[in-house]
Amino acid sequence: AVVFLTQHGPRGSRGLILNRPLAGTVAELERGGLLGRSSSLAETALAGQPVYLGGPNLPGNDTPITVIHGHCSDIDPEAHSPLQGVYMGSSRQVVGMVEKGHLKPEEVRLFYGCVAWEPGALLAEVEDGEWFPASASRSFALEQCIGLQMPLWRELMECMGSVYENLARKADGDADQ
């Protein structure tokens, strides 16, 4: 899993798994009841967009979807920027930005759920070797992960240097390690 940390501090950590697409579009998943009663994105310009499983901590019905995009705008005053050039906004505001032409639907990433750690838990997992921290990248955070030539996790590991590249090759079962 490639996790984009959106919050980290003394109150704990939160993030989104970037590379776990669910089997369906916003409209399909909403019709199936997965996105909760209040999503109402199926009738918008985002209806055909993929949804990613952001993590095992599932949202409440009031805010079922987390949205990230790369275009800050005064139109979305609620936007939070966990990384320069990456913005988290409400689905309501982002739909408005798409409908007004400020964003294209394919420039928006939608996540159901998140990953959350209690204070100190993520650091303990890193120390135990469960995660390999890397500098966050706007391009990795915003890249749609469906149909890539190389899985996102492997591409990221290869960008981190030869030690991580070799680990990725071994994990992927490459013969020429």
Side-chain angles (χ1 to χ4, degrees), residues 132 153-154 156-171 177:
F132 302 118
W153 70 269
R154 180 150 179 187
L156 181 60
M157 292 282 283
E158 289 187 4
C159 288
M160 291 171 57
S162 61
V163 170
Y164 297 99
E165 181 178 4
N166 290 335
L167 285 172
R169 285 183 179 169
K170 288 179 184 178
Q177 306 166 26

PDB file of all heavy atoms in Angstrom, residues 132 153-154 156-171 177:
ATOM      1  N   PHE A 132       7.933   2.162   4.894  1.00  0.00           N
ATOM      2  CA  PHE A 132       9.129   2.847   4.432  1.00  0.00           C
ATOM      3  C   PHE A 132       8.740   4.283   4.106  1.00  0.00           C
ATOM      4  O   PHE A 132       8.150   4.541   3.063  1.00  0.00           O
ATOM      5  CB  PHE A 132       9.710   2.181   3.184  1.00  0.00           C
ATOM      6  CG  PHE A 132      10.067   0.738   3.365  1.00  0.00           C
ATOM      7  CD1 PHE A 132       9.431  -0.238   2.611  1.00  0.00           C
ATOM      8  CD2 PHE A 132      11.025   0.345   4.277  1.00  0.00           C
ATOM      9  CE1 PHE A 132       9.756  -1.571   2.766  1.00  0.00           C
ATOM     10  CE2 PHE A 132      11.351  -0.988   4.447  1.00  0.00           C
ATOM     11  CZ  PHE A 132      10.712  -1.948   3.689  1.00  0.00           C
ATOM     12  N   TRP A 153       3.173   1.392  -6.012  1.00  0.00           N
ATOM     13  CA  TRP A 153       4.083   1.083  -4.900  1.00  0.00           C
ATOM     14  C   TRP A 153       5.482   0.774  -5.422  1.00  0.00           C
ATOM     15  O   TRP A 153       6.473   1.201  -4.848  1.00  0.00           O
ATOM     16  CB  TRP A 153       3.556  -0.068  -4.028  1.00  0.00           C
ATOM     17  CG  TRP A 153       3.582  -1.405  -4.701  1.00  0.00           C
ATOM     18  CD1 TRP A 153       2.582  -1.976  -5.435  1.00  0.00           C
ATOM     19  CD2 TRP A 153       4.669  -2.322  -4.725  1.00  0.00           C
ATOM     20  NE1 TRP A 153       2.979  -3.197  -5.924  1.00  0.00           N
ATOM     21  CE2 TRP A 153       4.260  -3.436  -5.492  1.00  0.00           C
ATOM     22  CE3 TRP A 153       5.949  -2.325  -4.179  1.00  0.00           C
ATOM     23  CZ2 TRP A 153       5.079  -4.537  -5.728  1.00  0.00           C
ATOM     24  CZ3 TRP A 153       6.766  -3.429  -4.418  1.00  0.00           C
ATOM     25  CH2 TRP A 153       6.327  -4.516  -5.173  1.00  0.00           C
ATOM     26  N   ARG A 154       5.542   0.044  -6.537  1.00  0.00           N
ATOM     27  CA  ARG A 154       6.855  -0.309  -7.075  1.00  0.00           C
ATOM     28  C   ARG A 154       7.547   0.914  -7.672  1.00  0.00           C
ATOM     29  O   ARG A 154       8.757   1.111  -7.484  1.00  0.00           O
ATOM     30  CB  ARG A 154       6.729  -1.416  -8.114  1.00  0.00           C
ATOM     31  CG  ARG A 154       8.089  -1.791  -8.665  1.00  0.00           C
ATOM     32  CD  ARG A 154       8.210  -3.169  -9.097  1.00  0.00           C
ATOM     33  NE  ARG A 154       9.552  -3.396  -9.622  1.00  0.00           N
ATOM     34  CZ  ARG A 154       9.915  -4.486 -10.208  1.00  0.00           C
ATOM     35  NH1 ARG A 154       9.072  -5.494 -10.337  1.00  0.00           N
ATOM     36  NH2 ARG A 154      11.143  -4.619 -10.663  1.00  0.00           N
ATOM     37  N   LEU A 156       7.225   3.967  -6.785  1.00  0.00           N
ATOM     38  CA  LEU A 156       7.688   4.778  -5.666  1.00  0.00           C
ATOM     39  C   LEU A 156       8.937   4.183  -5.023  1.00  0.00           C
ATOM     40  O   LEU A 156       9.902   4.896  -4.756  1.00  0.00           O
ATOM     41  CB  LEU A 156       6.570   4.915  -4.629  1.00  0.00           C
ATOM     42  CG  LEU A 156       6.885   5.761  -3.411  1.00  0.00           C
ATOM     43  CD1 LEU A 156       7.229   7.190  -3.805  1.00  0.00           C
ATOM     44  CD2 LEU A 156       5.723   5.747  -2.448  1.00  0.00           C
ATOM     45  N   MET A 157       8.934   2.875  -4.802  1.00  0.00           N
ATOM     46  CA  MET A 157      10.103   2.214  -4.205  1.00  0.00           C
ATOM     47  C   MET A 157      11.336   2.395  -5.086  1.00  0.00           C
ATOM     48  O   MET A 157      12.433   2.643  -4.587  1.00  0.00           O
ATOM     49  CB  MET A 157       9.825   0.729  -3.972  1.00  0.00           C
ATOM     50  CG  MET A 157       8.784   0.443  -2.905  1.00  0.00           C
ATOM     51  SD  MET A 157       9.373   0.599  -1.223  1.00  0.00           S
ATOM     52  CE  MET A 157      10.305  -0.912  -1.037  1.00  0.00           C
ATOM     53  N   GLU A 158      11.169   2.284  -6.388  1.00  0.00           N
ATOM     54  CA  GLU A 158      12.309   2.443  -7.298  1.00  0.00           C
ATOM     55  C   GLU A 158      12.839   3.873  -7.274  1.00  0.00           C
ATOM     56  O   GLU A 158      14.033   4.095  -7.462  1.00  0.00           O
ATOM     57  CB  GLU A 158      11.936   2.000  -8.708  1.00  0.00           C
ATOM     58  CG  GLU A 158      11.784   0.495  -8.796  1.00  0.00           C
ATOM     59  CD  GLU A 158      11.581  -0.026 -10.210  1.00  0.00           C
ATOM     60  OE1 GLU A 158      11.636   0.760 -11.180  1.00  0.00           O
ATOM     61  OE2 GLU A 158      11.372  -1.254 -10.338  1.00  0.00           O
ATOM     62  N   CYS A 159      11.982   4.841  -7.030  1.00  0.00           N
ATOM     63  CA  CYS A 159      12.418   6.237  -6.933  1.00  0.00           C
ATOM     64  C   CYS A 159      13.193   6.512  -5.648  1.00  0.00           C
ATOM     65  O   CYS A 159      13.901   7.511  -5.556  1.00  0.00           O
ATOM     66  CB  CYS A 159      11.214   7.175  -6.994  1.00  0.00           C
ATOM     67  SG  CYS A 159      10.472   7.283  -8.623  1.00  0.00           S
ATOM     68  N   MET A 160      13.074   5.630  -4.667  1.00  0.00           N
ATOM     69  CA  MET A 160      13.708   5.847  -3.360  1.00  0.00           C
ATOM     70  C   MET A 160      15.160   5.383  -3.313  1.00  0.00           C
ATOM     71  O   MET A 160      15.834   5.573  -2.313  1.00  0.00           O
ATOM     72  CB  MET A 160      12.901   5.149  -2.268  1.00  0.00           C
ATOM     73  CG  MET A 160      11.556   5.803  -2.028  1.00  0.00           C
ATOM     74  SD  MET A 160      10.453   4.875  -0.930  1.00  0.00           S
ATOM     75  CE  MET A 160      11.431   4.713   0.547  1.00  0.00           C
ATOM     76  N   GLY A 161      15.642   4.739  -4.371  1.00  0.00           N
ATOM     77  CA  GLY A 161      17.030   4.311  -4.398  1.00  0.00           C
ATOM     78  C   GLY A 161      17.179   2.810  -4.512  1.00  0.00           C
ATOM     79  O   GLY A 161      16.216   2.050  -4.429  1.00  0.00           O
ATOM     80  N   SER A 162      18.432   2.383  -4.709  1.00  0.00           N
ATOM     81  CA  SER A 162      18.702   0.984  -5.046  1.00  0.00           C
ATOM     82  C   SER A 162      18.291  -0.013  -3.961  1.00  0.00           C
ATOM     83  O   SER A 162      17.834  -1.111  -4.271  1.00  0.00           O
ATOM     84  CB  SER A 162      20.176   0.792  -5.410  1.00  0.00           C
ATOM     85  OG  SER A 162      20.994   1.137  -4.312  1.00  0.00           O
ATOM     86  N   VAL A 163      18.443   0.329  -2.688  1.00  0.00           N
ATOM     87  CA  VAL A 163      18.051  -0.605  -1.617  1.00  0.00           C
ATOM     88  C   VAL A 163      16.561  -0.896  -1.717  1.00  0.00           C
ATOM     89  O   VAL A 163      16.134  -2.056  -1.674  1.00  0.00           O
ATOM     90  CB  VAL A 163      18.407  -0.029  -0.228  1.00  0.00           C
ATOM     91  CG1 VAL A 163      17.801  -0.864   0.880  1.00  0.00           C
ATOM     92  CG2 VAL A 163      19.914   0.068  -0.063  1.00  0.00           C
ATOM     93  N   TYR A 164      15.752   0.142  -1.879  1.00  0.00           N
ATOM     94  CA  TYR A 164      14.297  -0.028  -1.958  1.00  0.00           C
ATOM     95  C   TYR A 164      13.886  -0.644  -3.297  1.00  0.00           C
ATOM     96  O   TYR A 164      12.937  -1.425  -3.363  1.00  0.00           O
ATOM     97  CB  TYR A 164      13.598   1.305  -1.710  1.00  0.00           C
ATOM     98  CG  TYR A 164      13.870   1.821  -0.324  1.00  0.00           C
ATOM     99  CD1 TYR A 164      14.840   2.796  -0.100  1.00  0.00           C
ATOM    100  CD2 TYR A 164      13.188   1.310   0.771  1.00  0.00           C
ATOM    101  CE1 TYR A 164      15.102   3.258   1.174  1.00  0.00           C
ATOM    102  CE2 TYR A 164      13.447   1.764   2.049  1.00  0.00           C
ATOM    103  CZ  TYR A 164      14.408   2.735   2.245  1.00  0.00           C
ATOM    104  OH  TYR A 164      14.671   3.188   3.510  1.00  0.00           O
ATOM    105  N   GLU A 165      14.619  -0.301  -4.342  1.00  0.00           N
ATOM    106  CA  GLU A 165      14.351  -0.897  -5.649  1.00  0.00           C
ATOM    107  C   GLU A 165      14.556  -2.409  -5.578  1.00  0.00           C
ATOM    108  O   GLU A 165      13.745  -3.184  -6.093  1.00  0.00           O
ATOM    109  CB  GLU A 165      15.266  -0.280  -6.706  1.00  0.00           C
ATOM    110  CG  GLU A 165      15.039  -0.823  -8.098  1.00  0.00           C
ATOM    111  CD  GLU A 165      15.927  -0.150  -9.134  1.00  0.00           C
ATOM    112  OE1 GLU A 165      16.786   0.688  -8.773  1.00  0.00           O
ATOM    113  OE2 GLU A 165      15.762  -0.477 -10.312  1.00  0.00           O
ATOM    114  N   ASN A 166      15.630  -2.845  -4.930  1.00  0.00           N
ATOM    115  CA  ASN A 166      15.882  -4.282  -4.780  1.00  0.00           C
ATOM    116  C   ASN A 166      14.804  -4.951  -3.933  1.00  0.00           C
ATOM    117  O   ASN A 166      14.372  -6.070  -4.234  1.00  0.00           O
ATOM    118  CB  ASN A 166      17.266  -4.533  -4.192  1.00  0.00           C
ATOM    119  CG  ASN A 166      18.374  -4.193  -5.170  1.00  0.00           C
ATOM    120  OD1 ASN A 166      18.175  -4.208  -6.388  1.00  0.00           O
ATOM    121  ND2 ASN A 166      19.544  -3.854  -4.657  1.00  0.00           N
ATOM    122  N   LEU A 167      14.360  -4.294  -2.873  1.00  0.00           N
ATOM    123  CA  LEU A 167      13.265  -4.842  -2.063  1.00  0.00           C
ATOM    124  C   LEU A 167      11.992  -4.995  -2.890  1.00  0.00           C
ATOM    125  O   LEU A 167      11.288  -5.997  -2.788  1.00  0.00           O
ATOM    126  CB  LEU A 167      12.989  -3.936  -0.861  1.00  0.00           C
ATOM    127  CG  LEU A 167      13.965  -3.975   0.292  1.00  0.00           C
ATOM    128  CD1 LEU A 167      13.652  -2.871   1.295  1.00  0.00           C
ATOM    129  CD2 LEU A 167      13.939  -5.333   0.977  1.00  0.00           C
ATOM    130  N   ALA A 168      11.702  -4.005  -3.715  1.00  0.00           N
ATOM    131  CA  ALA A 168      10.511  -4.053  -4.570  1.00  0.00           C
ATOM    132  C   ALA A 168      10.608  -5.190  -5.576  1.00  0.00           C
ATOM    133  O   ALA A 168       9.635  -5.906  -5.818  1.00  0.00           O
ATOM    134  CB  ALA A 168      10.323  -2.720  -5.288  1.00  0.00           C
ATOM    135  N   ARG A 169      11.779  -5.371  -6.157  1.00  0.00           N
ATOM    136  CA  ARG A 169      11.960  -6.468  -7.114  1.00  0.00           C
ATOM    137  C   ARG A 169      11.733  -7.814  -6.441  1.00  0.00           C
ATOM    138  O   ARG A 169      11.076  -8.693  -6.993  1.00  0.00           O
ATOM    139  CB  ARG A 169      13.350  -6.413  -7.725  1.00  0.00           C
ATOM    140  CG  ARG A 169      13.500  -5.320  -8.737  1.00  0.00           C
ATOM    141  CD  ARG A 169      14.849  -5.345  -9.378  1.00  0.00           C
ATOM    142  NE  ARG A 169      14.928  -4.280 -10.373  1.00  0.00           N
ATOM    143  CZ  ARG A 169      16.029  -3.906 -10.955  1.00  0.00           C
ATOM    144  NH1 ARG A 169      17.170  -4.505 -10.671  1.00  0.00           N
ATOM    145  NH2 ARG A 169      16.016  -2.936 -11.843  1.00  0.00           N
ATOM    146  N   LYS A 170      12.294  -7.983  -5.253  1.00  0.00           N
ATOM    147  CA  LYS A 170      12.103  -9.240  -4.525  1.00  0.00           C
ATOM    148  C   LYS A 170      10.635  -9.457  -4.189  1.00  0.00           C
ATOM    149  O   LYS A 170      10.109 -10.550  -4.362  1.00  0.00           O
ATOM    150  CB  LYS A 170      12.948  -9.258  -3.249  1.00  0.00           C
ATOM    151  CG  LYS A 170      14.417  -9.422  -3.508  1.00  0.00           C
ATOM    152  CD  LYS A 170      15.204  -9.411  -2.211  1.00  0.00           C
ATOM    153  CE  LYS A 170      16.696  -9.484  -2.514  1.00  0.00           C
ATOM    154  NZ  LYS A 170      17.499  -9.416  -1.279  1.00  0.00           N
ATOM    155  N   ALA A 171       9.985  -8.423  -3.711  1.00  0.00           N
ATOM    156  CA  ALA A 171       8.558  -8.542  -3.348  1.00  0.00           C
ATOM    157  C   ALA A 171       7.707  -8.839  -4.569  1.00  0.00           C
ATOM    158  O   ALA A 171       6.695  -9.539  -4.468  1.00  0.00           O
ATOM    159  CB  ALA A 171       8.089  -7.255  -2.692  1.00  0.00           C
ATOM    160  N   GLN A 177      17.157 -10.316  -9.744  1.00  0.00           N
ATOM    161  CA  GLN A 177      17.436  -9.526  -8.550  1.00  0.00           C
ATOM    162  C   GLN A 177      18.905  -9.354  -8.354  1.00  0.00           C
ATOM    163  O   GLN A 177      19.637  -9.906  -7.735  1.00  0.00           O
ATOM    164  CB  GLN A 177      16.780 -10.171  -7.335  1.00  0.00           C
ATOM    165  CG  GLN A 177      15.315 -10.379  -7.564  1.00  0.00           C
ATOM    166  CD  GLN A 177      14.711 -11.306  -6.535  1.00  0.00           C
ATOM    167  OE1 GLN A 177      15.174 -11.443  -5.425  1.00  0.00           O
ATOM    168  NE2 GLN A 177      13.680 -11.982  -6.915  1.00  0.00           N
TER     169      GLN A 177
END
